[in-house]
């Protein structure tokens, strides 16, 4: 009888132990538990789930998120060396469904500078790259898009950019930051030999050339309709680092006279007002540092060619 009772007690204790063990397991897996779900469980939620928690890069999130990829396929996101992250809200304006805008009106960066240089290679942009995406750049992009059979949005999406990369080459340093605002004109035949100040009224540029090679270049401004700059082939008659006009009583630093009282010289008015003004017949230069260096190189007797 005692032996039978002992057997019964062992059976009961074993059943209680099994029940207690089952209860601990259920509590650990239930809602609100701080314990992790056992590995391999079909009901386990991945620790990188983006639904209940903030993105790891969200500065507003105060929770520590395990290091996990925010992408759906589990791969680390690739960083773009060319463009900043595009704003998905701009997708519609790009003209290509699902293609976010990479560059648009108001942007200012080195990618815009490259865009302008590439458009300039293809004759869609006729100014020196500035890095600022304004209305002129938008019109140039629209022109390129229409030529390519794309929607003329004026903004650059991935499709537009890839077409541009295929149609142009990588810009050189001088193409990205050219020495003049305007593209240099084709030199006149008289500029191709000897030491020449080759001045184009068409492009409004001066190119210092030696034996047909451009050594340096700069923007220039000419006389008005009433006081035009004379055209033709001349030579530097004399030079003056500091000079004041005896007629107009205005400073003419780094003056290199080539035709009577007409000279190539620095103009503070040109530097301040640009092409809104005009000279009294002289060839104005607005880059003082460049002209200073040129003044030291040019010799009396060097050729000066003013042409269209």
């Amino acid at each position: 009888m005692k032996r039978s009772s002992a057997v019964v007690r062992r059976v009961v204790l074993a059943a209680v132990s099994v029940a207690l063990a089952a209860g601990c397991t259920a509590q650990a897996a239930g809602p609100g538990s701080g314990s992790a779900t056992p590995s391999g469980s079909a009901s386990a939620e991945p620790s990188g789930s983006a639904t209940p928690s903030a993105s790891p890069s969200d500065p507003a999130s105060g929770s520590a998120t395990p290091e996990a990829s925010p992408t759906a396929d589990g791969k680390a996101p690739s960083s773009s060396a060319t463009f900043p992250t595009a704003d998905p809200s701009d997708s519609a304006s790009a003209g290509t469904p699902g293609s976010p805008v990479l560059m648009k009106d108001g942007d200012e960066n080195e990618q815009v500078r490259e865009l302008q240089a590439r458009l300039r290679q293809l004759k869609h942009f006729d100014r020196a790259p500035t890095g600022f995406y304004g209305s002129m750049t938008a019109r140039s992009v629209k022109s390129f898009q229409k030529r390519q059979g794309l929607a003329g949005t004026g903004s650059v999406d991935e499709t537009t950019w890839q077409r541009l990369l295929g149609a142009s080459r990588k810009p050189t340093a001088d193409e990205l930051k050219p020495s003049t605002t305007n593209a240099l004109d084709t030199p006149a035949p008289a500029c191709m030999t000897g030491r020449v100040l080759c001045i184009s009224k068409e492009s409004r540029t001066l190119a210092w050339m030696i034996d047909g090679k451009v050594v340096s270049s700069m923007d220039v401004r000419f006389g008005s309709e009433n006081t035009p700059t004379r055209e033709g082939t001349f030579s530097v008659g004399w030079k003056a680092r500091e000079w004041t006009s005896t007629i107009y009583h205005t400073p003419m630093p780094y003056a290199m006279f080539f035709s009577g009282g007409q000279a190539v010289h620095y103009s503070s008015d040109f530097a301040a007002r640009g092409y809104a003004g005009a000279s009294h017949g002289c060839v104005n230069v607005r880059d003082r540092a460049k002209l200073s260096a040129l003044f030291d190189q040019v010799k009396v007797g060097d050729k000066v060619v003013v042409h269209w």
Side-chain angles (χ1 to χ4, degrees), residues 221 266-277 285-287:
R221 186 178 71 171
Y266 171 73
S267 167
S268 58
D269 182 74
F270 184 25
R273 300 172 58 206
Y275 292 103
V285 177
R286 60 180 166 188
D287 191 323

Side-chain angles (χ1 to χ4, degrees), residues 121-144:
Q121 289 175 10
L122 302 175
K123 310 299 182 186
H124 288 285
F125 191 75
D126 62 356
R127 294 290 184 272
T130 62
F132 178 75
Y133 202 121
S135 58
M136 186 178 293
T137 303
R139 287 195 298 270
S140 299
V141 169
K142 188 178 293 187
S143 172
F144 173 76

Side-chain angles (χ1 to χ4, degrees), residues 155-256:
S155 298
V156 178
D157 62 0
E158 185 64 32
T159 302
T160 300
W161 179 244
Q162 291 302 325
R163 291 284 186 91
L164 183 59
L165 290 181
S168 58
R169 54 177 169 71
K170 184 177 180 180
T172 63
D174 190 58
E175 286 176 324
L176 290 170
K177 296 182 178 181
S179 53
T180 59
T181 300
N182 304 308
L184 288 177
D185 195 5
T186 301
C191 296
M192 300 308 293
T193 57
R195 298 162 57 88
V196 191
L197 291 173
C198 190
I199 302 166
S200 169
K201 286 189 171 182
E202 179 70 27
S203 63
R204 298 188 291 189
T205 57
L206 179 156
W208 169 233
M209 303 179 65
I210 298 178
D211 296 330
K213 181 181 178 181
V214 176
V215 178
S216 64
S217 57
M218 55 203 73
D219 297 326
V220 292
R221 186 178 71 171
F222 304 101
S224 66
E225 230 177 85
N226 297 324
T227 56
T229 302
R230 289 184 280 274
E231 299 153 25
T233 300
F234 313 92
S235 62
V236 177
W238 60 287
K239 299 166 54 181
R241 189 176 296 274
E242 296 292 339
W243 185 257
T244 299
S245 170
T246 56
I247 300 175
Y248 302 105
H249 308 291
T250 54
M252 297 171 58
Y254 306 106
M256 293 176 279

Side-chain angles (χ1 to χ4, degrees), residues 13-65:
L13 287 172
V16 171
S17 297
V18 170
L20 287 173
C24 288
T25 303
Q27 185 178 8
S33 169
S35 305
T37 305
S39 176
S41 169
S43 63
E45 186 173 28
S47 61
S49 170
T51 304
S53 60
S55 166
S57 62
D58 186 358
S61 172
S63 60
T65 308

Side-chain angles (χ1 to χ4, degrees), residues 229-230 234-237 256-260 262-264 281 283 304 306:
T229 302
R230 289 184 280 274
F234 313 92
S235 62
V236 177
M256 293 176 279
F257 290 88
F258 62 87
S259 177
Q262 295 192 353
V264 174
V283 177
V304 178
V306 182

